[in-house]
Every structure is written in C-alpha cells, then in structure tokens.
Amino acid sequence: HPHSLPIFHKNFPLFLQQGYIRDLEFDLLTKTGECFPVLVSATAIYDVKGAYVMSRTTLFDISERKQAESTLKESELQNRLLFEEAPEALVLQDSHGRFVRVNHAFTVLTRFNPEQVMARSLEELHILSPEEVGQLQEAALHAITSKQAYDSREIRIRRIDGEYRTIRARVFPVEIQNQAHFLVTLHDITLEKDIEDKLRQ
C-alpha cells in the first residue's frame, strides 16, 4: 500500500545492515486492490563475498487481530464516554479505597478536580469522616459477602469549599484485570432531605 512504502524504504537499509527484521507491520495490496495488514519477518541471504542476494521472508496476516483491536478501542471509548458523561457522580476505587478514576459529575458535586484526588482515599481528602468511610467499607463488604450487585448507605460528604451535602452512595464490587475494585455512585439527596425535614416539622 502506498502509505507503507515509507516504512519499507526506512527499514530496508537497516535490514541489509543487521541481516534481519522481526515483526514489522505493513499494509499490503491484493491483486484486486484490497488492503490487508501483515507482520513481516525476514532474514537476509548473502553470497560468499558478503553481497546481499535475496531475503527469506514470512508474512503473517493480522487482519483478524487488527479488527479485534479496533473493536476493543471502540468499546473502550464508548465505556469512557458513558463513565465521563454519566449524570451521577462516579468514583472508581482500588481494593485499598484509593481513587483510580472519577467523572465530571464528581467534580461538580465535590469541587475536587481529578488531579487532586488520584491515588488518594476519601478519608485522606477529608471528604468523609472516618465513621462514614467505615460505612462505605461495610457496604462494600456486605455486597461481596451477600453476593448482591451493590449495597447502599446514606452519608454526608464535605466538599472542598467546606459545604456538606447528604448523599446516597451505592457501592458496586467489580473486577478489573483480575484486581478487585469498587465503583461508587454518589447521588445528592440534600434537597430531598431538606423537604422531608420541612414536611416533618
């Protein structure tokens, strides 16, 4: 394929110099003009005087692998968009409770930006009191031991500006790359609680 020609011209002198190449990716054209990706490995063959004669080359068709990679990237992009644009605040934590990822709604709710929270815990950031951190840990443990999809707790969080909000938190145990993680959704119910209090009064 024309856009693979520069790759060939760049690597051919190196091939002659070192006598081989391994797993170089090219796009080739079939007789009918269809394009398909291959991995090329080659060994140079020299005559008795050390002059290059020809190469012994293997071509491995990687069309299926490239299609799988493309599908995976598209899936990852969709998942990223769903996470980032979700209307509820989302927090992904590792098994030690440290932040791995947060979405835009979390920033709006807490006023913390992602750089301020990465690799730190809710307790370290003083978003939750130690007692309420314990409640979330209890919810996570209950969800795991009871084999439920999630468990929920009502907590109060402290925003970066010092304001407190009442939150309904749901904790979902998830496994990512064979590692335990927790997805936490934070739904602001401050207004609902205020209305309940006024109705009670």
Side-chain angles (χ1 to χ4, degrees):
H1 192 282
H3 66 63
S4 285
L5 282 174
I7 303 172
F8 173 81
H9 291 308
K10 178 183 177 182
N11 284 275
F12 191 67
L14 179 64
F15 165 67
L16 293 178
Q17 180 184 347
Q18 65 184 16
Y20 67 91
I21 56 168
R22 295 287 180 270
D23 296 333
L24 200 61
E25 192 172 314
F26 287 102
D27 285 332
L28 299 187
L29 292 173
T30 66
K31 187 176 181 180
T32 56
E34 295 175 77
C35 179
F36 67 103
V38 295
L39 281 183
V40 177
S41 294
T43 301
I45 299 173
Y46 304 94
D47 62 19
V48 291
K49 295 180 180 179
Y52 171 73
V53 178
M54 67 180 79
S55 67
R56 184 177 292 113
T57 306
T58 59
L59 305 176
F60 183 70
D61 187 345
I62 56 171
S63 300
E64 289 186 8
R65 193 192 81 182
K66 297 294 283 187
Q67 180 60 44
E69 287 175 356
S70 177
T71 302
L72 181 61
K73 284 179 182 176
E74 186 177 332
S75 175
E76 288 174 345
L77 177 60
Q78 289 174 347
N79 289 337
R80 193 178 302 118
L81 287 172
L82 285 171
F83 186 92
E84 292 299 332
E85 302 304 323
E88 282 200 341
L90 298 178
V91 175
L92 182 64
Q93 295 176 298
D94 64 17
S95 58
H96 301 289
R98 295 184 295 252
F99 284 85
V100 175
R101 192 173 174 185
V102 298
N103 68 348
H104 177 67
F106 173 86
T107 301
V108 173
L109 174 64
T110 66
R111 305 296 194 265
F112 282 92
N113 62 50
E115 292 75 23
Q116 292 172 296
V117 303
M118 284 303 107
R120 302 175 71 187
S121 68
L122 288 163
E123 194 170 13
E124 283 180 280
L125 294 163
H126 305 293
I127 295 175
L128 296 180
S129 67
E131 293 78 14
E132 285 169 315
V133 169
Q135 286 189 45
L136 281 187
Q137 291 171 340
E138 183 183 288
L141 183 61
H142 185 261
I144 293 170
T145 55
S146 64
K147 296 186 178 179
Q148 294 179 356
Y150 70 92
D151 199 9
S152 63
R153 293 289 188 276
E154 192 174 297
I155 58 176
R156 291 179 75 226
I157 67 167
R158 180 181 179 274
R159 303 197 316 187
I160 198 169
D161 57 10
E163 181 183 341
Y164 283 88
R165 308 293 293 180
T166 305
I167 301 295
R168 182 177 293 114
R170 291 186 176 91
V171 184
F172 298 79
V174 294
E175 192 172 284
I176 300 174
Q177 296 179 345
N178 298 320
Q179 299 291 322
H181 287 73
F182 298 96
L183 180 67
V184 184
T185 68
L186 305 171
H187 180 62
D188 191 346
I189 57 172
T190 306
L191 183 58
E192 295 172 37
K193 299 301 288 186
D194 289 345
I195 291 172
E196 283 178 11
D197 288 343
K198 287 175 183 174
L199 286 172
R200 200 174 294 110
Q201 291 169 14

